[in-house]
């Protein structure tokens, strides 16, 4: 049985969802990712053949299938196949309860509709309380990269990031803003190179307190400003 089918079988038996933006690392056994890369490589070779590309004599595409398989599994879709990076948490010993903003964090993702790149920035606002777990600044970037390195739509990606941070930090308020360029608009379709998408998630104090929300938003340097 191909390795993709073995992984799929485990997911189905466990009644676990495996959409494009889901992490399935718990269902991939040791040593299976190299096997999966070889299977993906074979499928990409079929795709290139269907596109009538002579990969045997074209020196530019002879290794393309192998490179694409490695790119998908180990890099651009890494957040699907690899577990979440280790995150060290610290108690809020000083009982910090003031607004914290982390960003801009560079985002690299892919649209699940066309598998075209998404490039952008994320800003995270936190209002901790005495019971919050604080994490290192670099860990916000690591968590963001893990969430974003999957095929998805921006609206769902921001919500998934908010859910992960809410569960780990448990702040009184959480705010996330993402601004991104979508190459499914720039490269194909309407081919509009100037449009960007901005969306946000506001929870807790940021949702209830307009002054706090206004302060957070006013401190974000946006590219169109």
């Amino acid at each position: 049985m191909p390795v993709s089918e073995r992984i799929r079988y485990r997911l189905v038996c466990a009644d676990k969802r495996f959409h494009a933006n889901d992490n399935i690392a718990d269902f991939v056994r040791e040593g299976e990712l190299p096997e999966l890369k070889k299977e993906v490589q074979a499928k990409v070779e079929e795709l290139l053949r269907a596109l009538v590309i002579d990969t045997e004599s074209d020196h530019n595409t002879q290794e393309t299938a192998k490179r694409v398989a490695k790119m998908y599994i180990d890099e651009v879709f890494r957040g699907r196949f690899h577990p979440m990076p280790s995150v060290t948490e610290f108690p809020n010993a000083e009982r910090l309860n003031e607004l914290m903003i982390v960003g801009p964090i560079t985002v690299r993702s892919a649209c699940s509709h066309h598998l075209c790149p998404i490039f952008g920035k994320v800003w995270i606002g936190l209002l901790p309380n005495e019971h919050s777990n604080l994490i290192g600044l670099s860990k916000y970037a690591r968590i963001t990269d893990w969430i974003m390195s999957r095929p998805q739509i921006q609206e769902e990606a921001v919500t998934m990031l908010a859910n992960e941070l809410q569960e780990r930090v448990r702040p009184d308020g959480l705010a996330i803003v993402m601004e991104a360029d979508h190459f499914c608009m720039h490269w194909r379709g309407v081919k509009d190179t100037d449009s960007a998408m901005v969306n946000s998630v506001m929870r807790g104090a940021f949702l209830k307190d307009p002054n706090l929300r206004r302060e957070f938003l006013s401190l974000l340097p946006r590219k169109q400003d």
Side-chain angles (χ1 to χ4, degrees):
M1 184 184 294
V3 64
S4 64
E5 292 301 319
R6 298 200 304 268
I7 297 169
R8 185 187 302 268
Y9 177 77
R10 293 175 204 138
L11 287 158
V12 171
C13 289
D15 196 26
K16 293 292 185 180
R17 200 183 78 165
F18 50 101
H19 290 183
N21 59 349
D22 289 327
N23 178 271
I24 59 172
D26 288 344
F27 297 88
V28 180
R29 294 177 180 170
E30 186 176 354
E32 286 187 332
L33 283 184
E35 191 178 351
L36 185 60
K37 272 186 278 190
K38 289 182 180 178
E39 183 180 339
V40 172
Q41 178 181 340
K43 299 298 184 182
V44 176
E45 287 171 352
E46 290 182 15
L47 171 64
L48 295 173
R49 190 173 297 111
L51 291 170
V52 199
I53 296 174
D54 182 4
T55 58
E56 293 183 5
S57 62
D58 178 7
H59 63 281
N60 289 319
T61 58
Q62 286 175 357
E63 295 291 318
T64 295
K66 182 178 181 179
R67 286 190 291 263
V68 170
K70 179 179 182 296
M71 176 186 72
Y72 280 154
I73 303 297
D74 291 341
E75 298 170 328
V76 296
F77 297 164
R78 182 179 178 85
R80 293 202 76 232
F81 303 104
H82 294 263
M84 182 175 177
S86 177
V87 176
T88 304
E89 299 178 359
F90 306 93
N92 188 2
E94 298 299 322
R95 300 188 176 185
L96 302 174
N97 62 354
E98 299 293 338
L99 172 61
M100 299 167 48
I101 299 178
V102 181
I105 298 171
T106 300
V107 168
R108 302 171 187 86
S109 192
C111 168
S112 55
H113 296 160
H114 297 93
L115 301 186
C116 288
I118 298 172
F119 293 117
K121 302 289 184 182
V122 163
W123 291 266
I124 300 168
L126 290 162
L127 190 68
N129 59 57
E130 60 181 299
H131 304 296
S132 295
N133 294 320
L134 304 181
I135 61 178
L137 288 178
S138 65
K139 303 306 185 291
Y140 289 100
R142 292 183 185 275
I143 293 172
T144 299
D145 181 67
W146 182 70
I147 292 288
M148 296 296 170
S149 297
R150 309 170 192 184
Q152 56 201 324
I153 62 172
Q154 182 172 333
E155 304 93 309
E156 293 179 358
V158 171
T159 300
M160 290 178 70
L161 177 58
N163 291 342
E164 188 66 42
L165 292 175
Q166 185 72 43
E167 182 177 347
R168 287 191 166 273
V169 182
R170 300 192 182 279
D172 281 344
L174 173 66
I176 297 176
V177 169
M178 178 173 170
E179 179 181 48
D181 294 315
H182 291 245
F183 279 68
C184 56
M185 285 185 63
H186 296 347
W187 194 21
R188 56 158 300 281
V190 70
K191 295 183 180 178
D192 183 349
T193 58
D194 295 324
S195 295
M197 179 176 178
V198 182
N199 69 319
S200 66
V201 172
M202 302 286 170
R203 294 185 177 171
F206 288 95
L207 191 61
K208 299 174 183 177
D209 186 345
N211 291 326
L212 179 64
R213 183 166 61 251
R214 193 177 301 114
E215 179 185 1
F216 168 68
L217 294 173
S218 70
L219 293 172
L220 304 188
R222 297 264 304 286
K223 72 175 185 180
Q224 58 259 45
D225 287 343

